[in-house]
């Protein structure tokens, strides 16, 4: 019997609670507990845990402009386990994490989506262990229903604008250049 299985019975209730998060398996929950510990008081906020684990977004600012930055190195074992869990959550059906993965992957790519969903899983883990609560999934329709329904309807159901053609065609921008070139007489 592996050492992890022999040492996990005192943390069995936390492992079972973490197993309810989409994408997190028993093995991933054991890695989270093994790397962070069951006592989350060493991390004052969930952001501190994410920063320590290296699952927070990078921040690179130069000359007042914000550029994308690389994530920190962090804990490689925890990052790997959260990456696997995030990829698995991205393939789950009708969950908040799947909607978040799809939303980010379509705009920024799958690798950034994996880091973002892994960050969300880690933040949820911190809250579940600290507050002794169960995972509450927001649902796949979270991003569709979080705005005011009237504003959402106005934004998605705008009346079509009639296409207006100009009353006279615009001249070619180089027309005047061609007009000023003397023609060659043979």
């Amino acid at each position: 019997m592996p050492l992890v299985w022999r040492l996990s019975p005192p943390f069995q209730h936390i492992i079972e609670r973490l197993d309810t998060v989409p994408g997190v398996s028993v093995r991933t929950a054991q890695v989270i507990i093994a790397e962070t510990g069951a006592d989350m008081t060493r991390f004052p906020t969930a952001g501190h845990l994410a920063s320590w684990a290296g699952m927070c977004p990078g921040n690179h600012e130069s000359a007042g402009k914000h550029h994308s930055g690389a994530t920190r190195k962090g804990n490689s074992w925890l990052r790997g386990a959260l990456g696997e869990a995030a990829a698995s959550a991205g393939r789950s059906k009708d969950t908040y994490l799947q909607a978040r993965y799809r939303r980010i992957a379509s705009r920024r790519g799958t690798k950034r989506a994996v880091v973002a969903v892994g960050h969300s899983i880690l933040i949820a883990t911190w809250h579940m262990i600290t507050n002794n609560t169960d995972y509450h999934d927001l649902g796949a329709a979270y991003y569709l229903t979080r705005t005011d329904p009237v504003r959402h309807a106005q934004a998605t159901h705008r009346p079509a604008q009639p296409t207006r053609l100009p009353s006279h065609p615009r001249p070619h921008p180089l027309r005047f250049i061609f007009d000023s070139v003397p023609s060659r007489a043979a």
Side-chain angles (χ1 to χ4, degrees):
M1 176 177 269
L3 180 65
V4 173
W5 290 98
R6 282 185 275 149
L7 297 177
S8 63
F11 309 108
Q12 194 62 35
H13 65 285
I14 297 173
I15 292 171
E16 290 171 359
R17 183 173 288 145
L18 293 178
D19 191 29
T20 62
V21 177
V24 177
S25 63
V26 172
R27 179 72 178 140
T28 305
Q30 289 173 343
V31 170
I32 291 171
I33 296 300
E35 296 300 325
T36 62
D39 181 24
M40 290 290 171
T41 57
R42 69 185 72 188
F43 304 109
T45 64
H48 284 85
L49 173 61
S51 179
W52 174 81
M55 294 299 289
C56 57
N59 183 23
H60 175 62
E61 180 181 349
S62 178
K65 296 182 179 182
H66 294 278
H67 306 283
S68 64
T71 57
R72 297 178 51 161
K73 293 187 188 294
N75 186 316
S76 60
W77 294 98
L78 185 56
R79 282 177 58 92
L82 289 171
E84 287 181 16
S88 177
R91 291 187 301 269
S92 62
K93 301 293 182 195
D94 298 328
T95 62
Y96 165 75
L97 295 174
Q98 184 257 348
R100 180 165 171 77
Y101 179 87
R102 297 274 181 221
R103 187 178 173 98
I104 295 171
S106 66
R107 291 181 290 118
R108 314 261 336 254
T110 56
K111 291 183 179 180
R112 290 179 190 263
V114 165
V115 173
V117 172
H119 179 262
S120 297
I121 290 172
L122 192 59
I123 298 299
T125 299
W126 184 87
H127 285 286
M128 291 167 61
I129 294 173
T130 302
N131 302 328
N132 201 21
T133 58
D134 293 331
Y135 177 75
H136 174 70
D137 192 58
L138 298 174
Y142 171 76
Y143 289 111
L144 299 175
T145 59
R146 70 182 180 153
T147 58
D148 182 29
V150 175
R151 287 179 56 202
H152 181 69
Q154 288 173 349
T156 57
H157 301 296
R158 292 185 178 160
Q161 297 291 330
T163 306
R164 292 187 292 175
L165 296 174
S167 58
H168 55 78
R170 294 179 67 188
H172 191 276
L174 301 176
R175 186 187 79 163
F176 300 109
I177 295 173
F178 293 132
D179 289 344
S180 64
V181 175
S183 62
R184 292 188 175 190

